[in-house]
């Protein structure tokens, strides 16, 4: 049976993206459409999304927000010829802001108002559709209240056939706001509590609401699902997740195999395939030129594309830097984030001209060149719900070095020269020594051409598409109906 799915996300590429959520918000709806479902994605219309590119449906919804009545327009766009996107257009809260969450000064101070409004608007939108959705699929804290609003609507006799799914893309971002923001939610007072309510340690907690009130909760890899019910990676929500029992599971993300395809990628200087890797050498040359690094064929280029934050293991790299640079490789890093890591990387590049290159900023085209031009990809995350870059690197013939956590553990297997199995290099503990050992092994194996080709092929030939995941989501949806 094909389903009618309303897929709600605060990021959908190419309209809005600050991280992996944007990629998933675009690829998963399209993969579900390709299985025959009728999928409509929903996104706020941020200022960066020009109205003139969209169709005005001339429909409006009105939402009560802390005693005010706020109206929004509905605009329409598309992800492909089967997948529509409905944009909630509210100038004061979204349209007049260039970015989804904040600017140079930090998060917008009224993110509570903005996203409480968005959640309520989604429910009003669902109610206004001529064909009510079977599934309301909400993502991350930005949509965490919608499952609760849906539950309350159902108790009032509305949206009776709609079930909700809530997907956690990163448990570290929980959407906490002062308790007084509860006033804006319009929720019954009975939810102003910790147990069975939307409070968590005295704060209004949007992610927790999704965990408690959705029909089913998922996260983006099976390993991360197992890790998040433990205190180390549960960020205080482990108990609530564990309580969900069988209605909490991990479904591995796929990648957009059209956008990330070395055979067709228009953003790299030469295309290549697993059968013919010649173009990869041209990409490598271009990458070294771009970062003004020495062109030494015997010295592998290790690439990184990442937000520069502790989660991604930059503190481990910083601690290991001196020993790391005793090994023979070049390093290119593209990233932006915490100032201390930006400073550290700039300094490292300055101290090692010709060997270390750092580009501080966000640059999609350059991220494709790094994936294609590097020989090895490094992703030593402390935790990683799924991670996309290691999958891009597998597809681009750039074996990844990763820590065995979350989705990294589910997608990268350690190279075993005895069996010829493995597509990268895996280390267990988030320690400089273990990372160093893995880098050392990768650099040494790079010198063994036959082994290296096999590792590359193992990675490039793997199925990383969304099809398998979309089928798993479909099975989950059906189990709720
Ligand atoms: P996260 O969502 O935690 O940042 P993921 O690996 O899941 O990590 O996804 C990151 C996404 O953002 C990838 O598509 C990656 O290519 C992209 N990305 C991250 N930093 C940059 C950057 N500085 N420039 C270009 N793309 C980036």
């Amino acid at each position: 049976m094909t389903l009618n799915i309303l897929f709600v996300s605060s990021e959908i590429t190419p309209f809005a993206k600050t991280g992996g959520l944007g990629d998933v918000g675009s690829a998963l709806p399209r993969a579900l459409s390709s299985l025959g479902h009728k999928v409509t994605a929903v996104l706020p219309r941020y200022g960066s999304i020009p109205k003139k590119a969209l169709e005005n449906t001339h429909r409006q919804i009105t939402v009560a927000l802390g005693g005010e009545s706020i109206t929004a327009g509905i605009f329409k766009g598309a992800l492909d010829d089967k997948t529509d996107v409905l944009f909630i257009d509210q100038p004061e809260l979204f349209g007049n802001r260039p970015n989804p969450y904040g600017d140079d000064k930090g998060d917008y101070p009224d993110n509570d108002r903005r996203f409480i409004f968005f959640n309520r608007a989604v429910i009003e939108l669902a109610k206004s559709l001529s064909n009510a959705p079977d599934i309301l699929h909400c993502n991350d804290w930005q949509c965490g209240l919608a499952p609760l609003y849906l539950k309350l609507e159902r108790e009032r006799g509305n949206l009776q056939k709609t079930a909700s799914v809530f997907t956690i893309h990163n448990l570290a971002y929980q959407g906490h706001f002062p308790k007084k923001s509860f006033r804006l939610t319009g929720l019954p007072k009975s939810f102003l509590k910790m147990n069975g309510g939307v409070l968590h340690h005295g704060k209004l907690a949007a992610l927790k609401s999704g965990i408690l009130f959705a029909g089913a909760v998922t996260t983006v890899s099976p390993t991360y699902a197992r890790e998040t019910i433990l205190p180390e990676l549960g960020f205080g929500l482990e108990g609530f997740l564990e309580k969900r029992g069988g209605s909490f599971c991990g479904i591995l993300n796929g990648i957009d195999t059209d956008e990330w395809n070395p055979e067709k990628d228009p953003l790299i200087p030469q295309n290549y395939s697993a059968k013919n890797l010649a173009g990869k050498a041209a990409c490598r040359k271009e990458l070294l030129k771009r970062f003004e690094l020495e062109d030494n064929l015997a010295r592998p280029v290790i690439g990184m594309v990442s937000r520069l934050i502790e989660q991604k293991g930059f503190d481990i790299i910083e601690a290991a830097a001196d020993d790391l640079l005793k090994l023979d490789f070049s390093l290119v890093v593209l990233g932006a984030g915490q100032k201390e890591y930006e400073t550290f990387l700039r300094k490292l590049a300055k101290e090692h001209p010709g060997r270390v290159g750092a580009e501080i900023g966000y640059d999609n085209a350059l991220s494709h060149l790094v994936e294609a031009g590097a020989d090895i990809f490094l992703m030593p995350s402390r935790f990683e719900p799924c991670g996309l870059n290691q999958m891009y690197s597998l597809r681009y013939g750039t074996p990844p070095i990763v820590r065995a956590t979350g989705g990294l553990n589910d997608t990268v297997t350690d190279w075993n020269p005895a069996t010829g199995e493995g597509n990268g290099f895996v280390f267990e503990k988030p320690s400089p020594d273990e990372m160093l050992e893995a880098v050392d092994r990768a650099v040494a194996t790079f010198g063994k051409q036959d082994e290296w080709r096999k590792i590359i092929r193992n990675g490039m030939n793997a199925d990383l598409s969304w099809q398998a995941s979309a089928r798993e989501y479909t099975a989950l949806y059906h189990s709720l109906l």
Side-chain angles (χ1 to χ4, degrees), residues 17 20 23 305-307 312 334-335 361-363 387-389 392:
K17 164 173 167 171
D23 295 326
V305 178
S306 182
R307 290 185 294 131
K312 304 291 180 179
L334 165 64
Y362 191 95
D363 184 336
L388 294 170
N389 279 301
Y392 300 154

Side-chain angles (χ1 to χ4, degrees), residues 33 59 89 99 112 129 134 165 182 186 192 303 307 323 333 357 367 387 433 441 451 454 470:
S33 291
R59 279 164 45 205
D89 179 48
N99 307 314
D112 51 353
L129 298 173
D134 301 303
V165 171
F182 182 82
L192 187 64
R307 290 185 294 131
D323 290 328
V333 186
S367 76
D433 285 351
R441 241 166 3 103
E451 284 193 33
K454 179 80 173 105

Side-chain angles (χ1 to χ4, degrees), residues 211-477:
I211 293 172
L212 257 61
F213 298 111
V217 181
T218 72
T219 189
V220 289
S221 70
T223 298
Y224 192 59
R226 288 193 299 276
E227 289 171 337
T228 48
I229 58 169
L230 301 172
E232 295 81 55
L233 288 183
F235 288 92
L237 294 177
E238 59 275 8
F240 298 109
L241 286 166
E242 196 180 11
K243 245 194 211 144
R244 294 290 325 218
S247 61
F248 172 51
C249 68
I251 299 178
L252 192 67
N253 284 340
I255 60 170
D256 184 332
T257 47
D258 290 329
E259 193 198 343
W260 294 93
N261 180 358
E263 292 184 46
K264 296 205 180 110
D265 191 337
L267 299 173
I268 58 176
Q270 211 170 306
N271 294 117
Y272 59 93
S273 65
K275 284 203 191 85
N276 184 355
L277 287 164
K280 188 164 171 67
C283 297
R284 183 184 198 271
K285 233 183 172 45
E286 178 76 17
L287 180 69
L288 291 172
K289 204 167 122 203
R290 174 76 169 68
F291 281 86
E292 297 176 5
L293 302 185
E294 287 162 27
D295 195 348
N296 176 346
L297 280 179
R299 180 188 281 169
V301 183
I302 297 185
M304 297 186 75
V305 178
S306 182
R307 290 185 294 131
L308 304 179
I309 54 171
E310 203 174 285
Q311 178 201 327
K312 304 291 180 179
F314 281 93
D315 61 321
I316 305 174
I317 294 180
E318 194 167 8
D322 288 345
D323 290 328
L324 209 52
L325 283 156
K326 288 180 192 146
L327 302 174
D328 194 23
F329 64 86
S330 307
L331 179 68
V332 294
V333 186
L334 165 64
Q338 278 168 238
K339 287 282 165 293
E340 57 175 298
Y341 297 129
E342 296 187 355
T343 308
F344 156 67
L345 289 168
R346 283 201 180 99
K347 187 162 157 267
L348 203 66
K350 214 167 163 191
E351 285 169 0
H352 300 273
R355 238 193 107 192
V356 177
E359 174 87 20
I360 305 303
Y362 191 95
D363 184 336
N364 182 48
L366 187 55
S367 76
H368 284 245
L369 181 64
V370 175
E371 292 288 2
D375 297 301
I376 300 169
F377 198 83
L378 179 59
M379 211 162 158
S381 305
R382 288 187 166 273
F383 68 93
E384 195 61 72
C386 178
L388 294 170
N389 279 301
Q390 84 282 9
M391 292 197 265
Y392 300 154
S393 79
L394 288 170
R395 192 150 159 81
Y396 278 66
T398 309
I401 302 171
V402 304
R403 192 172 96 71
T405 182
L408 301 176
N409 187 52
D410 294 330
T411 51
V412 183
T413 44
D414 200 34
W415 169 244
N416 181 342
T419 62
E421 283 164 10
N423 55 19
F425 299 86
V426 182
F427 62 99
E428 294 289 329
K429 289 204 185 73
S431 75
D433 285 351
E434 289 214 6
M435 184 185 73
L436 210 56
E437 189 273 333
V439 174
D440 192 19
R441 241 166 3 103
V443 170
T445 313
F446 176 77
K448 301 172 188 163
Q449 272 205 6
D450 288 348
E451 284 193 33
W452 199 253
R453 281 221 189 88
K454 179 80 173 105
I455 302 174
I456 287 183
R457 252 185 271 123
N458 287 351
M460 290 184 90
N461 292 333
D463 179 10
L464 302 169
S465 73
W466 272 99
Q467 291 310 307
S469 322
R471 274 193 282 275
E472 280 190 64
Y473 279 108
T474 301
L476 176 72
Y477 297 155

